[in-house]
Amino acid sequence: MARLSAALGPRLAPLVAVLAPFAARLAPYARKLRPLYPRPGRAGWRRWIPSWRQVVGGFFASIGLSAMFLVVAYAATDVPDNLNTYATQQDNVYFWADGSPMARTGWVQRQAMPLEDIPEDVRWAVLAAENASFYSDPGISFKGVSRALFRTLGQGDTQGGSTITQQYVKNVYLSQDQTIRRKFTEAMISLKLDNQMSKDDILEGYLNTSWFGRGTYGIQRAAQAYYGKDVSELNASEAAFLAALLKGAGLYDPTLTSANRARAVERWSWTLDRMVEIGKLSKAERATYKKFPEPLKTNPLYDTGEQSDYLVELAAQYAKKSAGISDKDFDLGGYQIYTTFDKNRQDQLTESVTKARAKVLEDEPKKAKTAHYGAASVDADGRILAVYGGPDHRKQGYNESNATTVPAGTAFTPFVYAAALENGVHKTRDGETTPVTGESLYNGDNKVPVTTPEGPYWDRSGRKVAAENDGGRNYGQISLRRAMELSVNTPFMQLGMDTGLDVVRRTAEDSGFLPSSIGAQVPTLSLGSSTPSAIRMASGYSTFAADGRHTEPYSVRKITKNGSRVALDTPAVRRAVGVEVAREVSAALAGNFRNAHPADVPPARGTEGGQAGAGAAEVAGKAGTTATDTAAWYVGTAKDVSTAVVLYRIDLGKSLEPLPLEGIAGPTDDSVPYGIWSGAMSPLD
């Protein structure tokens, strides 16, 4: 009101002067309309009821005042000169851990297209879905505005019922805030814009500024992102699907979830039927569109580089989740994402995997075609320093370093060991726990049946469950630390049963394993039936390097937008196991490394060639194999950095079931995963 008074006061002053004499003459009559309460000449409750003249007068007065208010508001509303950030996109920039630029991505891609280059079928698919009366309405939907205002007052959803003109105004001039003030301003600008611009110009602007998901604004980029073609090549069926995305790409992109696909198919079919109903598609042509036009799985416009794609993907996912940034806002750009990725370690890890891939391809070309490699390096403080996600994100879209695909195998046994050291074991079902140490003895013979307090453990097929050692070797009674150092499997399956598989599971989760990746609570859990990603496996081993403290792995340390710091949730540190337990597990893993790779043990500090002492204890690691030969791991720690490498085979063209490695991983003590690990971690001293 203050703004209106300031703007209109000087203009209305002459009119007020002219109307003043008439107002003076009407004043006595206006006083007669003023209600007197209680009304004279009436009794009881009737004294408090206005007369019919007053009711009618009040009704028409309210209509007059409302009309005057709308006229004044319309006159005082100007179409803004400048477009907002919804129409001017920025890039998102990613930085390495040292602050140097890593990648610049144009997640939101836009290419304005003249309306004449957009096929009529495409235009009318959008109009049929969003605003069939576009060419005849005044720019706003009075019914829609009323409904939106009602919902706003009721704390409901204000969207829905907007015309294309209103949506265009919201996209390019206003914010996306769902408030009464924004909705009213939108309506006023829409009315004025409808008188200033042609309908075709408004439709062109709307089609070029609307959000279609996958980082795209505008119908041209949407056509390229979902169908790999220009908008001029779209048919009515494909256009009907793209029109569905205007309701919310996060809900209608069928590649995201099965529920999305169901919604998209329903909306697509409805839009085509609606085009027939309004006379913009013949029934004969509609009959030819029976099959849903499946879009591409990924956006072909997305392009940063072979490995940087995987880094950008991880950082973007973490940034949005930890900073509470919506997909839509993130796609609008303007963010500077400072990652935890170490460029030198990333280059070294990538080179190490690339060399190993080439060697396997040369030695076993047929088997190597189905080989997959995943790797990750994680610091003890939770920072993800490097990952290997695959040969090229543009050819293999999923990230091998973050995939929960194959079992961890015997690389999981340190978590069984830690659970037992931390919690003790049960010799009887309801008895007290008995402490265990690295010197506690267990049977290390091959195929020793697993027992419970009641006797042998039988599987569902009626057979006794037993573990097997590599090479079928028997070790007799052996200490737990020695069993870890020599990678003896059988003691740890029994140790898991004695500790309690629920305790083993809890220890693994506390150390960083995702609950969804933990295997079933049966004896094989202790020998690695869980399927952690390389990132989570490295994170788990880093817990031992951090004296039993676990920090969730993270890939972004800071986010800014246009110079302003964006609030970012940082992962908390939690206690997974005790300090002494963590150090005992680390010592056992260091022993495993010394036994398996004596030539690679770095000299102890203060010596020139010793294999024992403080220097050697800094390097710890273990290989992981599976009973079904479907995965080979190596996970190890040096200088507080843990790296996990996994190799497995899957023929994605036939099945998602892992295939036997059939020797391509090499011998356990000199495996391909170990070669990758040592190359990525070199030098160890």
Side-chain angles (χ1 to χ4, degrees):
M1 293 304 295
R3 291 171 56 193
L4 285 174
S5 298
L8 299 178
R11 301 178 187 178
L12 297 179
L15 181 62
V16 171
V18 172
L19 295 178
F22 298 98
R25 294 180 183 180
L26 292 174
Y29 300 98
R31 281 194 292 270
K32 292 181 179 180
L33 292 175
R34 185 180 61 186
L36 297 176
Y37 290 94
R39 290 178 61 196
R42 297 291 188 271
W45 58 271
R46 291 181 177 84
R47 294 186 303 161
W48 304 98
I49 302 301
S51 70
W52 67 269
R53 293 183 182 85
Q54 293 166 341
V55 172
V56 172
F59 174 77
F60 284 107
S62 63
I63 292 178
L65 289 173
S66 298
M68 182 180 296
F69 173 78
L70 292 175
V71 169
V72 172
Y74 179 86
T77 300
D78 294 321
V79 177
D81 294 327
N82 298 322
L83 303 180
N84 66 14
T85 54
Y86 282 81
T88 55
Q89 174 56 31
Q90 300 180 69
D91 289 339
N92 288 324
V93 184
Y94 296 79
F95 298 90
W96 292 103
D98 63 3
S100 59
M102 183 182 81
R104 182 183 295 271
T105 61
W107 287 76
V108 173
Q109 304 184 45
R110 186 197 317 275
Q111 180 183 350
M113 296 293 291
L115 191 65
E116 61 187 21
D117 292 340
I118 301 175
E120 285 198 4
D121 278 349
V122 177
R123 302 183 218 170
W124 279 105
V126 172
L127 291 173
E130 293 294 304
N131 184 192
S133 63
F134 169 73
Y135 279 101
S136 60
D137 66 40
I140 67 171
S141 167
F142 293 99
K143 180 179 179 181
V145 171
S146 300
R147 183 165 61 248
L149 292 174
F150 176 77
R151 289 177 178 175
T152 301
L153 291 172
Q155 301 300 313
D157 180 13
T158 65
Q159 295 181 350
S162 295
T163 65
I164 279 180
T165 305
Q166 289 175 265
Q167 293 181 52
Y168 173 63
V169 167
K170 179 176 63 175
N171 287 346
V172 301
Y173 296 119
L174 304 174
S175 71
Q176 303 295 309
D177 296 338
Q178 304 300 326
T179 62
I180 294 177
R181 179 178 179 179
R182 202 273 299 158
K183 198 69 179 178
F184 184 80
T185 304
E186 171 191 302
M188 291 298 103
I189 295 177
S190 298
L191 284 170
K192 182 159 286 189
L193 195 69
D194 194 70
N195 289 326
Q196 294 180 1
M197 291 177 65
S198 70
K199 288 288 189 179
D200 283 350
D201 287 343
I202 293 173
L203 180 59
E204 178 181 307
Y206 173 75
L207 292 174
N208 283 319
T209 58
S210 294
W211 183 61
F212 287 86
R214 293 193 179 183
T216 60
Y217 275 76
I219 192 70
Q220 166 71 347
R221 289 303 193 206
Q224 295 171 339
Y226 288 91
Y227 290 110
K229 61 178 70 172
D230 288 341
V231 65
S232 61
E233 301 170 358
L234 293 177
N235 59 35
S237 178
E238 294 164 337
F241 162 70
L242 294 181
L245 296 172
L246 294 168
K247 297 292 289 182
L251 295 174
Y252 288 88
D253 186 341
T255 63
L256 299 179
T257 66
S258 58
N260 274 22
R261 190 180 187 283
R263 281 190 289 266
V265 171
E266 180 182 5
R267 183 74 176 176
W268 161 79
S269 180
W270 176 85
T271 299
L272 289 174
D273 291 340
R274 179 68 172 152
M275 290 178 71
V276 173
E277 182 181 335
I278 64 177
K280 297 303 177 181
L281 186 69
S282 69
K283 291 184 179 180
E285 187 177 359
R286 171 66 179 93
T288 64
Y289 299 133
K290 296 180 180 180
K291 185 178 180 181
F292 179 69
E294 296 287 351
L296 300 174
K297 297 296 182 183
T298 58
N299 184 353
L301 301 173
Y302 179 81
D303 182 20
T304 56
E306 293 182 356
Q307 280 300 307
S308 61
D309 283 353
Y310 298 109
L311 304 180
V312 165
E313 181 183 63
L314 280 174
Q317 291 174 350
Y318 185 86
K320 288 186 284 187
K321 180 179 179 180
S322 298
I325 305 171
S326 69
D327 288 342
K328 190 171 182 179
D329 286 342
F330 196 79
D331 283 350
L332 286 172
Y335 291 96
Q336 297 79 47
I337 298 96
Y338 296 84
T339 74
T340 61
F341 303 125
D342 184 300
K343 189 177 189 307
N344 292 332
R345 286 188 178 274
Q346 180 64 42
D347 291 344
Q348 196 166 334
L349 177 61
T350 301
E351 182 182 1
S352 187
V353 178
T354 301
K355 288 181 178 179
R357 291 181 70 101
K359 183 68 167 59
V360 173
L361 185 61
E362 179 182 349
D363 296 341
E364 298 281 356
K366 186 175 181 180
K367 297 174 184 175
K369 290 181 180 179
T370 56
H372 296 266
Y373 303 75
S377 295
V378 179
D379 194 274
D381 62 10
R383 290 176 295 131
I384 302 175
L385 303 178
V387 301
Y388 182 86
D392 188 339
H393 191 280
R394 292 164 292 189
K395 299 177 181 178
Q396 176 184 291
Y398 63 92
N399 190 337
E400 297 278 15
S401 72
N402 205 28
T404 56
T405 308
V406 292
T410 52
F412 183 81
T413 54
F415 302 99
V416 181
Y417 190 28
L421 294 173
E422 182 78 13
N423 299 280
V425 298
H426 289 273
K427 297 298 185 182
T428 60
R429 179 67 65 188
D430 300 317
E432 297 291 329
T433 57
T434 302
V436 294
T437 68
E439 302 305 318
S440 299
L441 299 177
Y442 269 73
N443 192 336
D445 286 342
N446 189 50
K447 293 186 177 181
V448 175
V450 176
T451 62
T452 69
E454 289 77 24
Y457 187 96
W458 303 81
D459 63 17
R460 293 185 177 182
S461 61
R463 292 177 296 184
K464 292 181 180 179
V465 174
E468 295 185 21
N469 293 324
D470 290 344
R473 184 176 174 182
N474 294 318
Y475 292 85
Q477 293 294 306
I478 186 172
S479 71
L480 290 175
R481 176 186 281 199
R482 192 61 178 161
M484 181 63 67
E485 291 176 343
L486 299 178
S487 294
V488 184
N489 298 334
T490 51
F492 292 102
M493 184 179 278
Q494 184 60 55
L495 182 64
M497 294 296 292
D498 294 345
T499 305
L501 296 178
D502 58 331
V503 177
V504 172
R505 177 189 179 100
R506 185 174 68 247
T507 300
E509 290 180 4
D510 288 345
S511 299
F513 281 54
L514 295 176
S516 59
S517 72
I518 303 293
Q521 287 188 197
V522 295
T524 53
L525 173 66
S526 298
L527 293 188
S529 61
S530 300
T531 57
S533 66
I535 291 175
R536 289 290 169 172
M537 189 62 116
S539 176
Y541 271 59
S542 73
T543 301
F544 304 131
D547 281 341
R549 296 182 302 271
H550 176 72
T551 305
E552 281 290 285
Y554 64 100
S555 57
V556 177
R557 57 186 179 84
K558 184 177 73 171
I559 301 176
T560 60
K561 184 173 184 181
N562 298 328
S564 299
R565 191 82 175 245
V566 177
L568 182 70
D569 289 340
T570 55
V573 180
R574 67 169 180 260
R575 172 64 61 184
V577 295
V579 175
E580 294 304 320
V581 169
R583 291 178 179 175
E584 168 58 29
V585 175
S586 294
L589 290 173
N592 185 292
F593 180 80
R594 288 194 300 271
N595 280 289
H597 311 285
D600 295 338
V601 175
R605 290 173 182 162
T607 70
E608 296 184 356
Q611 294 184 359
E618 290 181 359
V619 182
K622 189 181 187 311
T625 58
T626 63
T628 54
D629 188 38
T630 54
W633 290 80
Y634 195 84
V635 192
T637 303
K639 302 176 184 175
D640 291 333
V641 176
S642 296
T643 296
V645 181
V646 61
L647 167 61
Y648 61 96
R649 290 178 61 221
I650 287 182
D651 188 344
L652 295 174
K654 296 180 179 179
S655 172
L656 294 178
E657 287 298 319
L659 300 171
L661 291 172
E662 297 180 348
I664 67 169
T668 302
D669 289 345
D670 191 24
S671 66
V672 171
Y674 175 74
I676 294 172
W677 181 89
S678 60
M681 300 290 278
S682 180
L684 295 174
D685 56 358

